[in-house]
Amino acid sequence: MSNTIVYAEDWAVKIQERLAEPNKWKIICRVEYTDMAVLHNPYETDATVQSGTRGTAYTMQDIVTTDENIAINTFKILPQIIDRADLAQTTYVSQMQKAGSQGVLLNEAIETAVFADYASMTTFDNTKIGGAAGNITVSAANVDDIIRGIKREVRIANGESVAEREGYFIVWRPADFELLEAFVQANGFSTADGALKDGTSQGFNYMNVQHFSSNKLTAGHLIAGVKNCYHLGIVKSTYGQIVVTQDPLNVSGIGVISRVDFKGKVWHNVKPILFNVTVA
């Protein structure tokens, strides 16, 4: 007998399964699932260490705290309609495939939004690897310079202790990732042997940096730096949930609507260790 209903609970479960799968943004971001309307990040301004000799008076200083905050007020929504006749001819398996597809597309939308926030990060251009001003032309000869340069800039920003705890990352374009793979295969001994034998995969570690590639990067921009510093707030009560409507917009059928409410932020105190790598 043909199915004539949407399996709403199973649909939501399937979306949640796909939303729960590992994604680059879940690895590189500090993700907070919350129903709070505002994310807060209070930070303290460094006091001045005073000098003096015995008998010299000192000056008391106030503790100055700034509360950075941002409202979680953006969303991505995926409303889809299933014609009532198509619904009658739709199997359970087909519905679960559609639900899984919604989960994947919503995750990709979040990833695209995170990568598109490159302007909030610190610019890392060709001058940072010893070249002329302008964008970096990535090659097999300079991928190691980019990696070392990012780690150097983190140290300059006094972020090395955070990086040792959280780890470094770079998200490359697919063509750049291929150049990195060529460099890895051509250099070293056991590392090169392993790369030649097994290749490389998403999230592989090289030079103490976790490397990814993505087609979701904004043209001309890679992102890199220290993991778990980009703060991403996601409303937990809408993430992975669906709304089913009857005859949406006077169209005979079932509307299945899924959305994710989120907001990302590069806070003041971590901006020096998150990088917008400008590339040609």
Side-chain angles (χ1 to χ4, degrees):
M1 183 173 67
S2 297
N3 298 313
T4 57
I5 60 172
V6 167
Y7 293 89
E9 288 187 13
D10 290 353
W11 191 295
V13 169
K14 194 65 177 181
I15 285 181
Q16 290 162 13
E17 286 179 0
R18 300 303 290 266
L19 291 174
E21 290 181 353
N23 289 273
K24 301 176 191 72
W25 58 267
K26 291 183 180 179
I27 297 172
I28 66 178
C29 296
R30 170 190 167 194
V31 183
E32 183 173 348
Y33 300 95
T34 178
D35 282 336
M36 294 189 300
V38 179
L39 290 178
H40 292 271
N41 183 63
Y43 67 93
E44 192 175 301
T45 302
D46 291 339
T48 302
V49 177
Q50 301 173 31
S51 300
T53 57
R54 294 179 185 178
T56 302
Y58 56 80
T59 302
M60 295 297 294
Q61 300 176 66
D62 293 329
I63 295 176
V64 180
T65 301
T66 301
D67 180 26
E68 278 189 290
N69 59 80
I70 189 166
I72 306 176
N73 58 8
T74 62
F75 71 89
K76 299 289 185 180
I77 192 165
L78 184 51
Q80 293 183 295
I81 185 170
I82 306 174
D83 183 271
R84 199 166 298 277
D86 290 337
L87 181 62
Q89 299 166 337
T90 298
T91 65
Y92 175 84
V93 171
S94 178
Q95 285 192 23
M96 293 306 97
Q97 289 173 341
K98 290 180 173 64
S101 177
Q102 279 195 340
V104 169
L105 291 170
L106 287 172
N107 265 332
E108 290 180 349
I110 297 173
E111 185 160 291
T112 300
V114 170
F115 294 165
D117 198 20
Y118 62 84
S120 298
M121 305 175 190
T122 300
T123 299
F124 184 101
D125 62 10
N126 201 43
T127 62
K128 299 297 186 181
I129 58 172
N135 296 343
I136 300 169
T137 300
V138 182
S139 70
N142 67 11
V143 288
D144 58 323
D145 297 324
I146 297 170
I147 297 167
R148 286 196 304 269
I150 287 167
K151 294 166 72 173
R152 179 198 65 237
E153 292 300 304
V154 169
R155 295 188 193 103
I156 291 172
N158 296 319
E160 189 168 20
S161 61
V162 180
E164 288 178 353
R165 181 176 69 249
E166 304 293 348
Y168 296 92
F169 77 92
I170 302 177
V171 183
W172 305 88
R173 298 169 298 187
D176 304 327
F177 196 86
E178 180 185 8
L179 294 170
L180 173 65
E181 186 172 44
F183 180 87
V184 174
Q185 290 175 338
N187 291 274
F189 296 97
S190 60
T191 303
D193 290 342
L196 286 166
K197 178 183 176 182
D198 302 320
T200 55
S201 58
Q202 292 292 328
F204 87 100
N205 194 288
Y206 185 67
M207 294 177 65
N208 199 31
V209 176
Q210 197 168 11
H211 300 274
F212 304 89
S213 72
S214 177
N215 286 313
K216 304 300 179 184
L217 290 162
T218 303
H221 303 274
L222 315 180
I223 65 168
V226 178
K227 293 189 290 186
N228 295 323
C229 288
Y230 187 94
H231 198 169
L232 181 63
I234 294 179
V235 177
K236 63 182 180 181
S237 289
T238 60
Y239 188 61
Q241 302 301 317
I242 66 167
V243 173
V244 178
T245 61
Q246 299 289 330
D247 294 347
L249 302 176
N250 295 321
V251 176
S252 178
I254 300 293
V256 183
I257 305 165
S258 184
R259 63 184 278 176
V260 56
D261 297 78
F262 67 98
K263 191 73 171 184
K265 179 67 175 179
V266 178
W267 301 115
H268 169 81
N269 53 351
V270 298
K271 181 176 179 179
I273 57 176
L274 286 172
F275 302 102
N276 162 29
V277 183
T278 60
V279 289

